[in-house]
């Protein structure tokens, strides 16, 4: 039997596998509730701004 696999190599026991460099850590991401709340605020602010724009547009149409 060949015993040169990574399982039997000295110094590799108990070491975690290497992570890919492109995957973000959990700590680097914003919580999902925060992301949803920011999205709702952005949509709401644009809706209110559009409504105000419509009011000024219709009021100046006379």
């Amino acid at each position: 039997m060949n015993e040169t696999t990574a399982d039997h190599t000295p110094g590799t026991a108990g070491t975690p596998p290497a992570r890919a460099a492109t995957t973000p850590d959990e700590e680097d991401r914003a919580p999902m509730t925060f992301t949803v709340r920011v999205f709702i605020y952005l949509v709401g602010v644009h809706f209110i701004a559009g409504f105000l724009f419509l009011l000024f547009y219709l009021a100046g149409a006379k």
Side-chain angles (χ1 to χ4, degrees):
M1 295 260 262
N2 188 359
E3 304 234 355
T4 59
T5 61
D7 294 338
H8 300 291
T9 305
T12 60
T15 57
R19 294 189 316 210
T22 58
T23 58
D25 291 335
E26 185 69 28
E27 299 169 354
D28 293 340
R29 292 179 30 197
M32 191 61 175
T33 55
F34 179 75
T35 306
V36 170
R37 190 169 56 206
V38 166
F39 179 75
I40 291 172
Y41 287 161
L42 285 175
V43 170
V45 166
H46 281 89
F47 180 75
I48 291 170
F51 180 70
L52 289 175
F53 177 78
L54 179 66
L55 285 179
F56 280 99
Y57 178 77
L58 292 176
K62 291 184 179 182

